[in-house]
Amino acid sequence: MSIGEPTEAHCVRALAAKDFSSGAHPIWCPGCGDYGVLAALERALALHGRPSHEVVLVSGIGCSSRLPAYTTCYGFHGVHGRALALATGVKLARPDLEVITVGGDGDGYSIGGNHFIHACRRNVDMLYIVMDNRVYGMTKGQPSPTTEPDWDSDIAPGGIGLRPFQPLALAIAAGANFVARGFSGDPQGPAQLIVDGISWPGFAFIEVLSPCITFRPEQFDWKAKVRTGPAATEHDRAAAIAAVLTDDGFSLGLAFKGERAVVSEMHEPTITVNEIEGQFAVGI
Amino acid sequence: MGALRAGVRFVGCYPITPATDLVEWLAPELQRLGGRLVLAEDELAAINMVIGASYGGTPAMTVTSGPGLSLMVETLGLAVAAEIPLVIVDVMRGGPSTGIPSKTEQSDVNIAIHGGHGDAPRVVLAPMSVADCALSAEWAVYVAESLQTPVIVLSDQTLGQATAVIDPGVARPPALVRLTNAAPTGAQFKRYAVVADPVTPMPRPGTPGGQWVGEGLTHNEVGIPVSGAGAHAAQITKRAKKLQQFDSGDLWGETWGEGSTALLTFGSAIGPARVAAQRLTAQGRPTRVIGLRQLSPIPIAALGRALAGTERTVVLEQNHGAQLFHYLRGHGAVPADAESIARPGPIPFRPAEIAAHIA
């Protein structure tokens, strides 16, 4: 495990996953993949070693976006699609905090698509976890940007007929420094990816396949389809994109790791407000 | 300048005529003060970044015009519901839609006061002159921080792109700060507690034991989403009470001159109104001008005192729909027989035109 050197926090008392659980009962259906992601996040945060009052979980709208209140962290449950922008504001104002954004495929790739692109481009040091179940679950079963083109639904009979969104390829192309895929039913994988993603400088994006057993019961067979993918491509974005575009969407692990510069920290003041006021003086 | 004096150190914005000049001035100054201006991908990102920075503990602001404010109103509602301080400066231009980007108008009164779905009251202020912009902006930040609410500052292209020599020795508004202290109780912290004071502590993230989740869903005192009538009413009432008990003292506005005719207006219309009133007074038709700095909540008592002794009230505004007139009249803040002078931009009011209407 890549914990690194023990910090003072580790020496005083190691954090446990349960330190990060608020005990609130999630609204998720029994069997929802998001339970696995929540557990992975709690374990990862304990391993990472920062206490819950130094972590901010930001989310949008949807089943997965209900996650922040199930933890003991600070957080914000904002409006649909804008979580990454809100998280960017938190992190840029408070670079001392750990900022993690969570949400679903609708929140992140549809209404949130523009902010997803620019968050990758801006490369602020924070983590984004999308729980992808290829459906809008909260609103009871409409196709999302990652839904297969022929999936039948009331709102799109016969299927939406569109090529699914390719979030990993887009994230790599837009500039994210760490791009990975996990599976909620994998006991160890997502927690490790989260630990690595938080630690790696820049914008880290992890798409976690997280089945919706209520509206997509056929996703029960995902656990048979997922497999460990090839080693991550480093530095070469074009090669990494080519690799993800040719996989079948069930290849797990890190796809790309890059070293783009991260948005700089805040500067120390070099002027006072009174000095700025002095600029306006007009000698009369 | 006023915003910087009040402690704003984060601005998230998207350029829009005629607001861009303001943010281009702010960008280097904020950086030199150790703050940051982020050029967002759109106004939706801008206002959400502002919420994030404010949640993180930094007074934050955005600057836009009508079309940008239209994009922001959903998130404005989030700031109301989650009780997050922020300031939106709207430098009004010709509307609706793309309108007349480089010309002045005062047609965003409705969206500023009411924009957004649901019951989402907020504070709306309007600087009364170029000289008043710094004071109004500084005060707006203090109001936002102390009431934990969004505050919209309605400027317009005339004020926003004018240059004037002003007296810097103007009075400063009393400084106000946000409430962050959360006494550790051992029990779960109640960010949205229903207690005597409707303003409840919002601990700065990083404070042990103060953890809270900002919440746009209707919530209980802890901030957990609920849908019952009791909690919904309790929280709506809590937020309304913050504005109801807001006392702006002498900052609500100003009266110039005396007379049985009152010309009531705001923003860049105040200047021409004052000249018109002086001319009318010189012609033997004494006219006073009442300028509103505070549009929402309506300073009913102060306005009532300012109108004492008048027989005729004329509401002056630069929009077609008489937005301010209908708003004030609907709330009983002006007499039932009050009159309206309302015409849209792009040309600023001329004193002669105002005087001709009154005569």
Side-chain angles (χ1 to χ4, degrees):
Chain A
M1 302 234 221
S2 55
I3 306 176
E5 289 303 306
T7 63
E8 278 220 10
H10 286 132
C11 298
V12 172
R13 175 178 94 75
L15 293 167
K18 64 174 167 52
D19 294 331
F20 292 90
S21 170
S22 73
H25 188 65
I27 53 144
W28 303 325
C29 307
C32 174
D34 294 354
Y35 283 103
V37 180
L38 175 62
L41 180 62
E42 289 164 356
R43 280 208 309 284
L45 287 173
L47 286 168
H48 181 60
R50 295 194 70 179
S52 64
H53 62 265
E54 294 179 9
V55 180
V56 182
L57 293 178
V58 181
S59 66
I61 297 295
C63 293
S64 356
S65 286
R66 297 296 291 265
L67 189 146
Y70 306 147
T71 74
T72 56
C73 304
Y74 279 90
F76 213 111
H77 185 207
V79 292
H80 199 24
R82 317 295 169 197
L84 283 170
L86 202 150
T88 300
V90 179
K91 184 67 182 182
L92 291 179
R94 294 292 307 280
D96 58 306
L97 300 171
E98 210 68 72
V99 178
I100 300 172
T101 306
V102 300
D105 40 306
D107 189 77
Y109 307 148
S110 196
I111 184 169
N114 191 33
H115 306 306
F116 180 45
I117 293 169
H118 289 276
C120 295
R121 180 173 159 261
R122 214 173 267 119
N123 204 32
V124 169
D125 187 22
M126 56 186 193
L127 170 66
Y128 183 35
I129 302 170
V130 171
M131 285 157 262
D132 188 354
N133 56 13
R134 304 187 184 176
V135 74
Y136 289 167
M138 182 67 87
T139 45
K140 302 188 182 355
Q142 296 79 42
S144 85
T146 48
T147 301
E148 301 82 348
D150 56 352
W151 182 71
D152 193 41
S153 62
D154 288 349
I155 203 166
I160 199 86
L162 297 175
R163 176 180 178 280
F165 195 80
Q166 303 285 308
L168 272 69
L170 192 138
I172 299 167
N177 259 8
F178 181 105
V179 179
R181 183 188 285 123
F183 173 55
S184 63
D186 173 359
Q188 300 301 331
Q192 189 57 59
L193 287 172
I194 292 169
V195 170
D196 293 344
I198 293 177
S199 316
W200 190 255
F203 188 73
F205 166 59
I206 304 171
E207 145 146 308
V208 182
L209 299 171
S210 178
C212 174
I213 54 104
T214 300
F215 296 106
R216 303 293 316 263
E218 64 273 28
Q219 292 173 351
F220 190 72
D221 72 358
W222 276 5
K223 62 184 192 294
K225 288 178 151 176
V226 294
R227 68 190 170 285
T228 305
T233 309
E234 302 201 13
H235 312 301
D236 187 343
R237 289 183 186 265
I241 292 169
V244 303
L245 284 178
T246 53
D247 84 27
D248 63 355
F250 292 97
S251 169
L252 305 183
L254 186 59
F256 175 78
K257 189 189 262 193
E259 289 180 352
R260 281 184 61 219
V262 183
V263 174
S264 62
E265 302 288 315
M266 303 280 259
H267 303 287
E268 284 303 308
T270 58
I271 199 173
T272 66
V273 173
N274 284 341
E275 286 167 319
I276 295 176
E277 279 189 39
Q279 290 174 15
F280 292 91
V282 174
I284 292 185
Chain B
M1 193 65 248
L4 295 179
R5 281 177 181 159
V8 165
R9 293 296 179 267
F10 184 93
V11 170
C13 63
Y14 190 78
I16 183 168
T17 305
T20 311
D21 299 14
L22 207 163
V23 291
E24 286 182 335
W25 180 84
L26 264 175
E29 305 302 346
L30 261 171
Q31 191 161 344
R32 296 202 285 163
L33 285 170
R36 195 193 291 274
L37 183 145
V38 180
L39 191 55
E41 55 269 29
D42 56 34
E43 285 91 343
L44 299 158
I47 186 67
N48 276 278
M49 287 185 194
V50 166
I51 287 190
S54 182
Y55 172 80
T58 302
M61 181 174 96
T62 189
V63 185
T64 191
S65 190
L69 184 56
S70 285
L71 288 172
M72 294 180 185
V73 292
E74 182 200 20
T75 301
L76 184 64
L78 176 65
V80 171
E83 304 194 44
I84 306 294
L86 61 88
V87 171
I88 303 176
V89 178
D90 174 10
V91 186
M92 294 184 285
R93 70 195 218 175
S97 189
T98 314
I100 312 175
S102 58
K103 297 295 183 192
T104 203
E105 199 164 78
Q106 295 183 313
S107 50
D108 292 349
V109 172
N110 281 346
I111 190 175
I113 295 171
H114 305 293
H117 60 279
D119 289 308
R122 80 293 305 252
V123 176
V124 180
L125 305 176
M128 301 191 293
S129 62
V130 173
D132 192 49
C133 283
L135 184 150
S136 293
E138 184 178 2
W139 190 43
V141 177
Y142 295 148
V143 173
E145 292 288 312
S146 61
L147 297 184
Q148 298 171 14
T149 186
V151 175
I152 300 179
V153 177
L154 285 182
S155 179
D156 60 43
Q157 182 268 334
T158 298
L159 295 179
Q161 293 188 318
T163 310
V165 177
I166 63 171
D167 178 357
V170 291
R172 298 276 296 275
L176 301 168
V177 296
R178 72 168 69 172
L179 187 63
T180 58
N181 295 345
T185 58
Q188 195 172 19
F189 173 60
K190 290 182 177 178
R191 164 75 182 95
Y192 302 110
V194 178
V195 292
D197 189 348
V199 178
T200 44
M202 50 183 301
R204 197 166 171 271
T207 307
Q211 282 93 312
W212 60 285
V213 176
E215 183 57 67
L217 279 168
T218 294
H219 45 262
N220 63 14
E221 294 182 84
V222 171
I224 302 298
V226 295
S227 58
H232 186 43
Q235 292 295 319
I236 284 198
T237 302
K238 173 187 195 288
R239 297 191 297 258
K241 214 169 137 189
K242 290 194 296 186
L243 269 58
Q244 281 153 18
Q245 73 177 30
F246 167 52
D247 181 6
S248 50
D250 293 331
L251 292 173
W252 67 275
E254 205 165 322
T255 305
W256 295 272
E258 293 164 343
S260 57
T261 296
L263 192 48
L264 175 56
T265 188
F266 76 103
S268 59
I270 292 174
R274 290 179 62 191
V275 175
Q278 283 159 9
R279 289 182 194 167
L280 287 165
T281 301
Q283 290 164 16
R285 313 164 67 90
T287 304
R288 72 181 80 172
V289 172
I290 303 170
L292 282 172
R293 187 190 278 113
Q294 179 185 328
L295 301 189
S296 173
I298 302 174
I300 294 241
L303 184 51
R305 286 191 294 273
L307 286 170
T310 56
E311 289 161 8
R312 186 179 176 204
T313 302
V314 183
V315 179
L316 171 74
E317 58 193 302
Q318 198 180 25
N319 60 72
H320 178 265
Q323 297 177 18
L324 179 66
F325 169 75
H326 288 295
Y327 168 63
L328 293 174
R329 198 159 167 278
H331 285 281
V334 293
D337 63 353
E339 299 158 51
S340 164
I341 301 175
R343 67 121 173 101
I347 312 292
F349 278 118
R350 296 281 190 262
E353 137 190 43
I354 300 171
H357 267 281
I358 305 262

